[in-house]
Amino acid sequence: MPPSLQITPPSGQVVTRKGGPVSFECRANGNPNPTVQWSKRDGLLPSGLQVETNYMLNINEVRRQDGGIYQCTASNGIGQPVTGEIKLHVLYPPEVKVLRSWVNSGEGLEAKLDCVVHSDPPAEVTWYQDSFQLQPTDRRLMLHNGQTHSLIIKNVQMSDFGNYSCLVTNSIGRDKRYIELSGKPGPAKIISSQYSNPHEYDLKWTVQSVFPIIEVRVLFKKIMINSSYHHPGQWHDLLIKPSQSYNSATSERTQSYRLHNLQADSTYECVIQTKNQHGYGELSDTFQWYTAPKGRIILQSNGGVFNSFSEVILLSILSILLMISS
C-alpha cells in the first residue's frame, strides 16, 4: 500500500506567540510502514537541520524567524511520496534596530534617521525629539519602505540637533531605539598600522563630518610597565591641523599625522578628538601600536608592512634586478 498522511492540526494552520511551545503531528499509514520526514520551505528547521525524521515536530521556544510553511513527507518505496503542509504564524512584540545610532548633518542640509521594525501584528511607529512627539510637516517627513521607517528632516536648523527616538507599539508590546542627530564630528576611527619605525609613527584616521575638520587633538603616551591608576604614564597633548580628503558619498574625512621622537621597542596608546565649526566630537576608542627595536626598519606599502631589515634589502635587490632587466 502506498503511503497516506493525516496532519494535526487538520486545518494546516497554527497561530502562536513568540516564546511558547508548539508541536506538529504527521501520522502516516501504508505497507511497508512509511518513513516521515519534516522540512521547512525556504529555510532550515528551528534545530538548524534541513530534515528531521519523526512523526512529531516539536519547537520548545518559538522565535520570530520560525514562522513559515513546514512540510512532512511520507515514503515507503511504494508509489510516490506524499507531502502535507502546516503554516506556522508567529505573533510577537515589536523588535526594532537602528541603521545608525549617530547621524551627522549640518545647517541647511538634509538628515535621514532610520528604524528597522519587525512586528506581527503590524505596529505603529511614533517619532520623538527628546520627550516631545513629532508631527509631520513640510520640512519633517515620516516615511516607510517595507520594514524601514524613516524620519527625514529637510533644511536642518540648529534646533533640530539632539536626541531622537522611534517608539514602536503593537497589541502585544512595544520597543524603542534612540538616534542622535549632531552637527559635530563623529568619533574618529584610527586605521593606521599597529607597528611603526623605532622613533616615528604615521598616525591615520577617518571621521564622519559633513563640515571640514578645523582642528584635531591627539593624546598619546608610552605605556609603562609599572603604570598604575595613581601613577600613569605621561600624556602628550597635541593640537594639530592636518590636511584632509573628503568622501561625499559617506561624509567621511581622512587625515594623517607623523609622530616623532618615540622610543624604540615600546608600546604606545593614543586617542583622537576632532573639531569642526559645530565643536569637538567625542573621543575615539583607545588605540595601541608598537615601535620596532632600534635599527629595525618598517616600510609601509599598499600590500602590507615590511618589518625586517632583511626584507628591505631583498626589496632593494629586486628593484635593482628589475631595472637591469628592463
Side-chain angles (χ1 to χ4, degrees), residues 151-167:
L151 173 63
I152 299 175
I153 303 173
K154 297 183 176 182
N155 189 23
V156 170
Q157 302 173 4
M158 284 294 294
S159 59
D160 293 320
F161 294 130
N163 292 312
Y164 290 78
S165 60
C166 56
L167 174 65

Side-chain angles (χ1 to χ4, degrees), residues 52-72:
E52 288 186 26
T53 301
N54 201 341
Y55 74 95
M56 292 282 294
L57 179 65
N58 298 309
I59 307 175
N60 295 325
E61 190 172 340
V62 175
R63 303 169 302 166
R64 169 174 62 83
Q65 300 89 337
D66 294 333
I69 296 176
Y70 291 79
Q71 297 175 321
C72 70

Side-chain angles (χ1 to χ4, degrees), residues 300-320:
Q300 301 286 343
S301 75
N302 292 333
V305 177
F306 302 97
N307 59 2
S308 70
F309 187 67
S310 61
E311 286 176 309
V312 175
I313 295 175
L314 179 60
L315 286 173
S316 300
I317 294 173
L318 288 173
S319 299
I320 293 172

Side-chain angles (χ1 to χ4, degrees), residues 193-194 196 201 259 262 266-268 270 287-291:
S193 171
Q194 287 190 298
S196 77
Y201 178 55
L259 300 173
L262 305 179
S266 301
T267 302
Y268 282 82
C270 71
F287 179 83
Q288 288 187 355
W289 79 91
Y290 310 94
T291 57

Side-chain angles (χ1 to χ4, degrees), residues 194-215:
Q194 287 190 298
Y195 301 93
S196 77
N197 286 315
H199 304 297
E200 60 184 26
Y201 178 55
D202 289 327
L203 184 63
K204 188 176 182 180
W205 63 93
T206 62
V207 59
Q208 190 178 45
S209 177
V210 296
F211 291 108
I213 300 299
I214 58 177
E215 188 173 79

Side-chain angles (χ1 to χ4, degrees), residues 206-256:
T206 62
V207 59
Q208 190 178 45
S209 177
V210 296
F211 291 108
I213 300 299
I214 58 177
E215 188 173 79
V216 180
R217 186 183 184 196
V218 177
L219 294 98
F220 71 98
K221 70 175 180 179
K222 178 184 175 185
I223 300 179
M224 310 296 292
I225 296 178
N226 59 351
S227 291
S228 67
Y229 177 78
H230 297 289
H231 301 283
Q234 180 182 0
W235 284 101
H236 299 272
D237 192 346
L238 304 177
L239 286 179
I240 58 176
K241 297 180 180 181
S243 60
Q244 55 199 278
S245 60
Y246 181 59
N247 184 337
S248 59
T250 61
S251 300
E252 278 191 341
R253 297 180 183 272
T254 303
Q255 298 179 285
S256 62

